[in-house]
Amino acid sequence: MITRREFLAASSASLLIGAVGTATEQTPDRSWYATMRRCGQLNLNERDPLTLDVASWIDYWASLKLDALLLNGGGIVAFYPTEVAYHHRSEFLGSRDLFGELARATKARGMRLVARMDCNYAYEDALKAHPEWFERNLNGSPRPHGESPWLFKTCMFSPYFTDQMAAIYRELGSRYPVDGFFTNGWPSAGDLTVCHCESCQRVYREQVGGTPPDQVDATNERYRKYYDVYMARVLDVWRRWQAVVTEKRPDSVYVGNLGGGIRTVKNVKRLGDVAPWFNADHQGRSGDTAIWDCAQQGRVARSVMGGRAVTNVTGAYSNSRPTWRHVTKAPAETTMWMAQTAASGMVPWFHWLGGAPEDTRWKAVGRDFFNWLAANESHFRNRRSIADIAVLYPQDTIAFYRSGARSLDWRGADRVQTTDYLQGLYYALLEGRIFFDFVHEDDLAAETLRPYRALLIPNAAYLSDEHCRRIREYAAGGGSLLATFETSRYNEWGDARPDFSLADLFGASVTGDLVGPVGNSYMRIDHPHPLLNGFDGTALLPGPEHRVPIRGADANAAPVPLTVVPYYPAFPPEMVFPRTPRTDQPAALFRQNGRSRVAYFSGDIDRTFWRSGNPDLGLLLQNTVRWLRGDERPPVSLEGHGIVEAFAWDTEPGYALHVLNYTNPNMTRGFVRTFYAIGPQKAEFRVASGRRIKSVRALRAGKALPFTQAGETVLFEVPGVTVYEVVAIV
Ligand SMILES: [Zn+2]
């Protein structure tokens, strides 16, 4: 039997393939999970079978107009009368088949059902019967859970993953109308773990050549081998599980748990290649995490998934530090998180934990947002991002970088914040209102980079020869380039090269050891350059905290606009004067070769911008992007007051401009508790040639906007933005 929803999906799919299918675009993924736009999750606890009111819960989720609902199947705790040995039935299950009741009710309301699983822990009876399933410390002891020590950590290399979990998926799939399976907490995009169980010892012996270090340490040969073996196992388990869940249901799917925003250690490109659906378990922020953390996650996921299924979980509970599972997060923060999810092209997945909430304030927050999404669904069907600037996602550097770079207030942590470079560039791009996409360093093919006028590389210190070859090819084809600091100084694992691999592109060579960390160094404006616009009234700009000493390769080059003024003491004031006020050492090199422009900064100006907040450095980065673009106008521009993040999409009905208002005292420290509306924003949007725009509509404000069209350019004003506005241009 085909449901109405499936019928609609199938018929719109055939229509769209007809309309969209141009030669340059891939056939869109029309699986149910790629076309869903709203997802929800009730995360049950072991006691819930005593009291859970299935009907009222399903009413709530249906009121969100969900396409798919995630409900606990099993793993740690089975919420149905399982027959799989050592699959622990909820001790409160009694004669109830809670998963079965929920499954029937979910399907009756036309929602897809995804079984939420947990493969990471099991009970002591399993440990006794199958000691080989569990992770071990060096002394052979199992690893109990920190807060629930009656549970023990299972090992990914053991048959628990290949046999036991597969048996559980098969049982659930044979009994219930399950459309997909999701594993909590696995594999994650974060650090690798080292285990000493039998299976792992065999792996170390046969494939690694000894025990890998416990910490991320790419200087260690055994860690490098382990990284590859570990990734191979993750991908192998992922493929096996996808095969198991599709044995009887070809349209079923296995989805693992990724996320981590820009802080990934596992290679997300390799994970994305095997994942039909990328779920970012990126539920919220805490501490001083920047407000844009969710939109940034969307950019990472999209860089490896293209237009395929990407979801992002929003925790409706207060997942700060400390965390509270059973009270509502600040509604403004929750709304902002869902808005960033949608704006960046991901599908929101609204999540509550526990079947008997005493705080229900979160319910309306999700319902309001999801109903608005549902009413405007077609405008969230994106075909491609519209941006002419690409930011390289420096996977290996973020995962492994250990340069001499340290911050002044560094207190003994053994790793630099490898994301600070990207974060600084990101902040500058937001302030500069520049539309951009992330591209993953393992996906620098000519066709990926073709839409972009410039590629920005925030200290990709670790790059392989192949990465460098691709970057060189891009520049040779006319692409422009920004690179900072140690970019290409090391290979992908961090082995130092005698010089930058991209020395030819930068026109710069390394002449000595890294300088820094130092404050109170400067860049001197020695010669005018378009890149230095906006700095009237000063001959000095703030210098980077670290720099690579370089010399220019070309003796006949134009005079160097920015030169290094070396550090001198900042204290006491009597001592604060430059000992060497002028040098001829370049702080940056700007070159032009035909259409291609290259700007290389020898300092970590992106990271220094992020750490110091000095706006001169932000302006310098923004000016650089403008110069790289040359005379070409950006496809979309947005002018006005306020700090915003904006996305432009080519959508199925036309185009959409998404504007997120980050102007908030809680921009770099959550939670947002209220919004501070910004005024009108002037937009210029380039559409396909010959396309006549009939309407421009603000979907949050719910009103038509006046506009004019001159050729390919559509001009309109986005009315004031409180939290989020989406302008549909059709
Ligand atoms: Zn193990």
Side-chain angles (χ1 to χ4, degrees):
M1 198 183 91
I2 185 161
T3 64
R4 185 178 132 79
R5 189 183 295 276
E6 284 163 341
F7 171 75
L8 289 174
S11 51
S12 64
S14 48
L15 279 176
L16 285 159
I17 287 162
V20 171
T22 61
T24 53
E25 281 170 21
Q26 292 179 330
T27 311
D29 181 353
R30 287 289 158 194
S31 59
W32 69 263
Y33 43 89
T35 49
M36 74 176 171
R37 282 298 171 272
R38 291 166 304 281
C39 199
Q41 180 185 2
L42 174 59
N43 210 336
L44 302 177
N45 63 59
E46 182 158 20
R47 195 177 177 281
D48 276 331
L50 286 182
T51 57
L52 193 92
D53 178 354
V54 169
S56 70
W57 270 111
I58 300 300
D59 275 349
Y60 172 70
W61 292 113
S63 79
L64 269 63
K65 302 190 168 62
L66 294 188
D67 297 304
L69 177 59
L70 285 102
L71 295 163
N72 300 55
I76 297 176
V77 172
F79 290 87
Y80 67 100
T82 178
E83 300 297 332
V84 175
Y86 306 107
H87 187 206
H88 175 91
R89 282 190 205 185
S90 157
E91 64 170 293
F92 303 99
L93 191 62
S95 59
R96 220 175 163 184
D97 177 359
L98 184 60
F99 185 74
E101 291 173 44
L102 285 162
R104 280 188 296 280
T106 301
K107 299 300 285 189
R109 301 296 283 272
M111 292 181 280
R112 295 280 185 170
L113 169 66
V114 178
R116 181 270 189 200
M117 314 296 294
D118 197 312
C119 53
N120 301 296
Y121 289 91
Y123 277 75
E124 194 168 8
D125 60 338
L127 175 69
K128 286 192 172 133
H130 287 283
E132 76 281 9
W133 284 354
F134 291 84
E135 284 196 357
R136 301 284 167 170
N137 296 313
L138 201 50
N139 67 6
S141 57
R143 293 175 169 170
H145 189 277
E147 283 190 272
S148 304
W150 50 91
L151 299 175
F152 296 89
K153 184 86 177 68
T154 53
C155 178
M156 166 184 92
F157 283 94
S158 81
Y160 186 82
F161 273 58
T162 44
D163 301 352
Q164 177 75 351
M165 286 308 296
I168 297 171
Y169 297 146
R170 287 193 176 101
E171 183 180 67
L172 276 163
S174 69
R175 288 195 200 174
Y176 308 105
V178 182
D179 296 292
F181 292 83
F182 161 69
T183 51
N184 175 58
W186 191 88
S188 96
D191 283 347
L192 280 51
T193 53
V194 173
C195 156
H196 303 277
C197 78
E198 266 175 49
S199 308
C200 288
Q201 284 179 26
R202 193 170 340 109
V203 165
Y204 301 152
R205 218 169 33 239
E206 293 171 5
Q207 298 179 57
V208 179
T211 313
D214 273 321
Q215 304 287 321
V216 171
D217 181 6
T219 61
N220 184 309
E221 195 58 42
R222 287 195 311 276
Y223 178 84
R224 296 179 185 184
K225 281 193 188 156
Y226 184 56
Y227 184 89
D228 280 337
V229 169
Y230 194 102
M231 285 299 299
R233 175 69 176 181
V234 167
L235 304 182
D236 179 50
V237 168
W238 196 307
R239 285 191 197 98
R240 281 171 190 246
W241 287 356
Q242 175 67 13
V244 168
V245 306
T246 51
E247 277 167 6
K248 293 203 170 128
R249 288 272 313 265
D251 67 339
S252 185
V253 62
Y254 162 71
V255 55
N257 209 10
L258 301 170
I262 58 171
R263 297 165 285 275
T264 65
V265 174
K266 300 190 188 94
N267 185 310
V268 280
K269 176 70 173 74
R270 288 166 72 182
L271 291 164
D273 286 346
V274 76
W277 165 2
F278 184 115
N279 179 51
D281 190 7
H282 198 62
Q283 302 200 34
R285 63 179 177 140
S286 58
D288 57 4
T289 306
I291 197 170
W292 52 77
D293 207 52
C294 180
Q296 203 171 46
Q297 169 71 75
R299 295 180 188 276
V300 173
R302 194 172 171 86
S303 77
V304 300
M305 293 298 282
R308 295 179 297 136
V310 181
T311 45
N312 187 79
V313 187
T314 294
Y317 61 92
S318 192
N319 57 327
S320 45
R321 236 173 285 131
T323 201
W324 293 273
R325 294 289 214 174
H326 284 159
V327 293
T328 299
K329 185 187 289 173
E333 179 83 15
T334 303
T335 302
M336 173 53 88
W337 207 254
M338 291 188 290
Q340 286 182 38
T341 304
S344 63
M346 300 189 288
V347 169
W349 159 335
F350 191 57
H351 177 209
W352 179 257
L353 206 134
E358 295 186 78
D359 181 346
T360 56
R361 293 173 293 176
W362 58 277
K363 285 189 168 178
V365 184
R367 189 163 47 216
D368 290 351
F369 193 80
F370 274 44
N371 275 283
W372 171 79
L373 272 183
N376 297 286
E377 178 172 315
S378 65
H379 299 293
F380 294 88
R381 297 201 172 281
N382 302 325
R383 292 167 44 188
R384 60 177 188 93
S385 157
I386 301 173
D388 67 345
I389 301 294
V391 173
L392 182 138
Y393 181 67
Q395 175 73 69
D396 294 331
T397 307
I398 280 177
F400 307 131
Y401 188 44
R402 289 185 181 213
S403 85
R406 294 286 185 264
S407 44
L408 278 174
D409 59 353
W410 181 62
R411 295 280 185 274
D414 72 338
R415 287 167 67 186
V416 287
Q417 283 293 328
T418 59
T419 50
D420 279 355
Y421 311 88
L422 176 55
Q423 198 70 283
L425 177 63
Y426 200 96
Y427 185 27
L429 294 176
L430 296 192
E431 284 197 329
R433 303 264 180 125
I434 292 156
F435 288 75
F436 63 98
D437 294 323
F438 280 180
V439 294
H440 194 279
E441 69 186 11
D442 290 341
D443 183 21
L444 298 176
E447 73 242 40
T448 307
L449 292 177
R450 191 167 298 122
Y452 303 109
R453 180 69 192 92
L455 175 65
L456 315 183
I457 309 180
N459 187 37
Y462 291 15
L463 286 175
S464 70
D465 291 346
E466 174 64 11
H467 294 144
C468 294
R469 190 183 67 77
R470 295 285 194 177
I471 292 165
R472 212 173 272 117
E473 198 175 82
Y474 171 70
S480 290
L481 207 69
L482 160 70
T484 64
F485 195 37
E486 294 205 275
T487 292
S488 82
R489 180 87 168 85
Y490 309 85
N491 75 4
E492 67 273 31
W493 288 113
D495 295 336
R497 295 182 168 114
D499 198 354
F500 304 114
S501 171
L502 297 175
D504 54 335
L505 272 190
F506 301 164
S509 280
V510 179
T511 57
D513 294 337
L514 212 62
V515 177
V518 289
N520 210 48
S521 78
Y522 299 87
M523 296 185 278
R524 176 176 297 283
I525 301 177
D526 262 346
H527 291 276
H529 191 279
L531 221 141
L532 300 170
N533 288 344
F535 293 119
D536 298 342
T538 180
L540 293 181
L541 296 179
E545 201 175 17
H546 298 84
R547 68 182 165 85
V548 183
I550 57 162
R551 67 178 147 69
D554 186 356
N556 303 320
V560 175
L562 271 180
T563 52
V564 170
V565 179
Y567 156 85
Y568 47 91
F571 297 96
E574 292 86 340
M575 299 299 117
V576 186
F577 60 93
R579 306 308 193 265
T580 317
R582 281 179 189 280
T583 69
D584 56 5
Q585 193 174 142
L589 288 163
F590 313 127
R591 313 171 86 208
Q592 195 164 350
N593 182 10
R595 193 169 166 267
S596 170
R597 296 178 172 192
V598 178
Y600 167 71
F601 287 88
S602 65
D604 56 352
I605 60 163
D606 33 20
R607 175 178 171 279
T608 306
F609 172 53
W610 179 239
R611 294 179 52 78
S612 69
N614 189 308
D616 286 346
L617 294 171
L619 179 60
L620 191 57
L621 287 163
Q622 292 151 18
N623 281 353
T624 306
V625 176
R626 288 183 200 109
W627 177 74
L628 294 179
R629 192 184 265 130
D631 297 331
E632 289 168 42
R633 294 187 63 76
V636 186
S637 68
L638 186 69
E639 280 174 30
H641 280 299
I643 169 96
V644 304
E645 181 158 17
F647 291 85
W649 296 100
D650 183 334
T651 64
E652 289 180 1
Y655 305 91
L657 172 65
H658 296 241
V659 184
L660 296 153
N661 174 17
Y662 292 161
T663 316
N664 202 295
N666 297 103
M667 185 174 82
T668 52
R669 186 172 178 84
F671 290 148
V672 171
R673 49 269 283 154
T674 188
F675 299 111
Y676 302 85
I678 51 173
Q681 311 281 312
K682 230 174 86 185
E684 244 187 81
F685 204 112
R686 195 191 308 150
V687 300
S689 90
R691 173 108 191 199
R692 218 48 242 165
I693 295 304
K694 297 183 188 71
S695 100
V696 174
R697 191 171 173 79
L699 302 179
R700 292 287 285 183
K703 61 180 184 197
L705 304 180
F707 70 97
T708 58
Q709 181 170 6
E712 295 169 10
T713 306
V714 180
L715 299 168
F716 56 91
E717 198 174 83
V718 185
V721 180
T722 304
V723 47
Y724 179 36
E725 187 54 273
V726 181
V727 179
I729 303 149
V730 295

